[in-house]
Amino acid sequence: MSCKLLVENLNLYYSDIQALKDINMGIDEKKITALIGPSGCGKSTFLKTINRMNDLIPGVRITGKMTLDGEDIYSSSNDVTLLRKRVGMVFQKPNPFPVSIYDNIAYGPRRHGLKNKGRLDEIVEKSLKDSAMWDEVKDKLKKSALSLSGGQQQRLCIARALAVEPEVILLDEPTSALDPISTFKIEDLMQTLKETYTVIIVTHNMQQATRVADKTAFFLLGDLIEYDETEVIFTNPQNPKTLEYVSGHFG
Amino acid sequence: MRSKFKTEYMGRTVVTVVGLMIIAITLLITVFLVQKGAQTFTVLKYSVSQFFTDTKWDPFMSADDPKGSVGALTFIIGSIYVSFLALLFATPFAVACAIFITEISPKYGKKMLQPAVEIFVGIPSVVYGWLGFSVLCPFIAKIFNMPFGGEGLLSAAIVLSVMIFPTITTVAIDSIRNVPSEYKQASYGLGATRLQMIWHTSLPAAKQGILTGIVLGLARAFGEALAVSMVIGNKITIPKNILSRTSTLTTIIANQMGSAPDGTGMADSIWSMGLLLFVISFLFILMIRIIGKEREDKGAEK
Ligand SMILES: Nc1ncnc2c1ncn2[C@@H]1O[C@H](COP(=O)(O)OP(=O)(O)OP(=O)(O)O)[C@@H](O)[C@H]1O
Ligand SMILES: [Mg+2]
């Protein structure tokens, strides 16, 4: 088993506030890794360092090293747009563009230069099939994405991310705005996604982490406290703080 | 208790009366304009089609000699040409400027550029006209080799474009700023470059707002009299080319009102042109409403 993503001595500062402190971890290929921890501990921040979405925030400073398949993500020669094509992201709040379902999925491939209509059709169909919503929407591809339900919108966003053929998929609390049935569908989907992709998910829901994740990382105030097999984290954690958190006694 | 009731009651009465007065005044102006503007056709018996299709503008100016013609086509065409030319010049700059301020350099844009643009809104039109007359016209005359001065369609359109530029820019800035940041995040997250994000996400999402700004600019261009009159040459002929001297609905009213005694063809046809301008501005407002409604409908789908 190989590490897709390697993080070494990673520090991140928002101006003078340090949000990530000396993080070291390796993320396995074609597995699901969950990031848990109380609000404000740096989970989203960590996730956004992986596809360099932090570049968009003024005043962010990063030290240390992060490599994807051995390539330094933050080296100046690394093309950010190419990185984001390889590392797709799904956000907490479903955020489809206010255009048709088809155009949402085709957005990424088009930006990367694909114009061929037949090829685009194929990608749209494949992405929707991979995100298990082809049957629901195949007759209304030209309809506005905003006409879908919240759960459908979120799966559309996953499909949209798949359309650029990424290798890693980052999910930031993808189900926190959804009902239990939609949540279940997305968890189900993740199990099929990990056959092809490396998946990293931020969640506040402990049950969700135990249900879907192979490995779990516990963050606290910018520190990575413990990182291990999900089962170990939830049943036999080595650090008392982890135990406190996963058993719900966290104050 | 009682005094609260009293003040509340009184306040509401005052507001209602003022509101009713505004409605009444608007209605009165409309009725008056329609009645006066129609006299050209109802009392003086000129034909409506002459007014709209004839270029011969020679209304009688004294009641002793009730003849002449009231063809306003020259001014209608003059207004349309100069306004749309101004729009053509101003829109690309305005949209580019709005993009720069909102997306490319928000820091510099917000601190320096936006205040500068806002100052432009407040400059009185006579100043624009004077600048146009004393700086732009000689310049145009030199470039295009015009021995009698550079006044004409092009000069007027340039002056107008400078005047409507801030209107379009400010409205466009607001609408681009209002594009939800989630759309931008999604776009960047899929690997779009900044230009791609602006072109394929920000601008389409801000389209209606930008269109509203363009219509507002057009309305302002249509209604401007003074500055245009100072640089357009004021000749009563349909422009043959972009340098021709011509007149617009607003400039002819401004220039002829002094020589239009009540009841003459001149006075009544001026009223008719005033009415026409009123109808046009009403149509612009209607357009803005329709664009706004579309945006609301789109928002409601969420
Ligand atoms: N744009 C920013 N500018 C400054 N500080 C920020 C910014 N974004 C996050 N922070 C700070 O960084 C820390 C980590 O934030 P982050 O959003 O990563 O937490 P999180 O673990 O995702 O929390 P949540 O569970 O609430 O989403 C917090 O203290 C937060 O206040
Ligand atoms: Mg977060």
Side-chain angles (χ1 to χ4, degrees):
Chain A
M1 202 187 311
S2 65
C3 273
K4 182 76 180 169
L5 188 78
L6 207 62
V7 185
E8 292 166 74
N9 309 322
L10 182 83
N11 290 282
L12 183 143
Y13 306 82
Y14 289 112
S15 300
D16 20 85
I17 305 162
Q18 185 166 11
L20 292 174
K21 295 168 191 163
D22 202 30
I23 309 290
N24 288 284
M25 69 192 285
I27 287 175
D28 295 335
E29 185 162 20
K30 296 188 184 174
K31 295 276 177 217
I32 299 177
T33 304
L35 311 180
I36 61 168
S39 198
C41 67
K43 305 180 296 292
S44 298
T45 301
F46 178 73
L47 209 61
K48 284 189 284 178
T49 54
I50 303 173
N51 66 345
R52 291 185 64 167
M53 287 297 271
N54 285 323
D55 289 14
L56 303 171
I57 302 167
V60 168
R61 197 159 53 81
I62 292 165
T63 66
K65 203 167 166 197
M66 197 170 223
T67 52
L68 180 67
D69 285 337
E71 282 174 55
D72 188 353
I73 288 178
Y74 281 89
S75 90
S76 53
S77 62
N78 201 316
D79 179 356
V80 182
T81 58
L82 206 65
L83 170 72
R84 293 188 187 139
K85 184 178 178 303
R86 292 176 69 189
V87 183
M89 185 161 203
V90 175
F91 300 83
Q92 180 170 2
K93 201 173 135 218
N95 59 352
F97 299 117
V99 297
S100 72
I101 293 170
Y102 184 99
D103 288 335
N104 260 283
I105 312 269
Y107 187 97
R110 278 177 176 148
R111 296 301 80 81
H112 295 285
L114 186 64
K115 293 205 178 70
N116 184 308
K117 175 87 173 75
R119 187 77 192 98
L120 278 173
D121 287 349
E122 279 169 33
I123 289 179
V124 169
E125 180 170 345
K126 179 169 189 307
S127 308
L128 286 167
K129 278 182 172 156
D130 287 351
S131 65
M133 67 183 307
W134 174 247
D135 290 327
E136 287 165 67
V137 299
K138 64 171 183 246
D139 300 321
K140 47 179 184 179
L141 294 176
K142 293 277 165 252
K143 284 192 79 178
S144 168
L146 302 181
S147 67
L148 298 172
S149 75
Q152 286 176 319
Q153 286 187 13
Q154 192 62 305
R155 279 183 291 142
L156 180 71
C157 290
I158 295 176
R160 184 176 65 184
L162 299 183
V164 294
E165 296 170 339
E167 298 156 35
V168 180
I169 299 173
L170 312 174
L171 304 151
D172 194 351
E173 301 183 46
T175 62
S176 67
L178 304 182
D179 62 275
I181 293 176
S182 303
T183 300
F184 175 72
K185 279 187 182 159
I186 286 179
E187 287 180 7
D188 219 28
L189 174 59
M190 287 171 60
Q191 296 302 334
T192 36
L193 290 182
K194 81 169 191 186
E195 289 164 18
T196 327
Y197 309 95
T198 303
V199 179
I200 306 173
I201 177 176
V202 169
T203 180
H204 272 289
N205 182 329
M206 309 283 174
Q207 282 81 38
Q208 183 164 63
T210 51
R211 280 194 301 263
V212 300
D214 300 295
K215 277 191 163 187
T216 296
F218 172 58
F219 283 78
L220 187 62
L221 294 172
D223 286 305
L224 175 59
I225 302 292
E226 192 166 353
Y227 174 46
D228 212 323
E229 301 293 325
T230 299
E231 210 188 305
V232 176
I233 293 283
F234 282 96
T235 55
N236 188 24
Q238 306 304 302
N239 192 305
K241 287 182 193 152
T242 314
L243 180 64
E244 212 178 336
Y245 184 72
V246 297
S247 56
H249 297 307
F250 204 81
Chain B
M1 256 318 254
R2 187 185 286 159
S3 90
K4 191 178 172 195
F5 174 78
K6 217 169 155 186
T7 47
E8 192 143 295
Y9 179 77
M10 262 184 51
R12 196 180 294 176
T13 312
V14 169
V15 171
T16 311
V17 168
V18 171
L20 286 176
M21 254 169 69
I22 290 170
I23 294 174
I25 291 171
T26 313
L27 274 176
L28 272 175
I29 292 176
T30 311
V31 169
F32 190 67
L33 252 180
V34 169
Q35 190 248 328
K36 279 290 203 179
Q39 271 181 11
T40 313
F41 316 109
T42 55
V43 178
L44 298 179
K45 304 291 182 206
Y46 287 112
S47 80
V48 177
S49 80
Q50 183 195 52
F51 180 79
F52 280 107
T53 59
D54 201 340
T55 56
K56 195 161 177 328
W57 165 257
D58 185 19
F60 65 95
M61 297 204 222
S62 88
D64 311 334
D65 186 22
K67 285 201 301 273
S69 62
V70 294
L73 184 63
T74 305
F75 315 124
I76 297 173
I77 288 185
S79 277
I80 292 175
Y81 276 5
V82 81
S83 307
F84 279 93
L85 260 180
L87 204 62
L88 203 68
F89 296 158
T91 305
F93 286 102
V95 174
C97 187
I99 290 173
F100 184 84
I101 289 175
T102 50
E103 306 282 5
I104 312 277
S105 178
K107 228 172 162 184
Y108 173 76
K110 204 167 189 171
K111 268 205 203 112
M112 318 262 302
L113 222 64
Q114 201 176 356
V117 169
E118 276 157 8
I119 285 173
F120 273 96
V121 184
I123 299 177
S125 55
V126 66
V127 176
Y128 283 108
W130 174 247
L131 275 170
F133 178 78
S134 54
V135 180
L136 178 68
C137 288
F139 181 67
I140 297 267
K142 207 161 165 191
I143 296 181
F144 294 100
N145 203 7
M146 297 156 77
F148 304 108
E151 290 84 358
L153 197 52
L154 180 62
S155 298
I158 293 174
V159 168
L160 263 185
S161 68
V162 175
M163 293 176 70
I164 65 176
F165 164 82
T167 310
I168 305 176
T169 308
T170 14
V171 179
I173 287 173
D174 282 343
S175 57
I176 296 176
R177 276 218 183 108
N178 280 335
V179 172
S181 63
E182 287 93 21
Y183 294 168
K184 297 180 190 175
Q185 300 257 333
S187 178
Y188 282 130
L190 289 163
T193 60
R194 183 161 68 176
L195 269 179
Q196 288 177 330
M197 191 285 291
I198 293 170
W199 191 251
H200 295 283
T201 302
S202 262
L203 284 185
K207 194 175 63 192
Q208 268 108 354
I210 295 172
L211 266 176
T212 304
I214 290 175
V215 177
L216 276 172
L218 191 59
R220 176 144 198 237
F222 247 92
E224 178 55 40
L226 188 54
V228 177
S229 151
M230 289 164 85
V231 293
I232 202 169
N234 299 309
K235 205 171 158 196
I236 307 182
T237 47
I238 290 192
K240 284 185 202 61
N241 60 47
I242 200 168
L243 298 173
S244 302
R245 294 157 176 260
T246 184
S247 296
T248 68
L249 287 167
T250 50
T251 61
I252 195 72
I253 295 177
N255 292 331
Q256 295 296 339
M257 62 182 190
S259 52
D262 235 9
T264 61
M266 178 62 84
D268 282 355
S269 55
I270 284 180
W271 278 112
S272 301
M273 288 191 286
L275 176 61
L276 180 58
L277 282 167
F278 177 80
V279 171
I280 291 170
S281 70
F282 180 79
L283 290 179
F284 283 141
I285 290 171
L286 208 67
M287 271 170 76
I288 290 170
R289 280 284 165 107
I290 292 170
I291 296 169
K293 180 121 204 321
E294 253 173 45
R295 178 157 50 171
E296 259 171 39
D297 290 349
K298 236 184 176 178
E301 274 175 42
K302 286 182 205 170

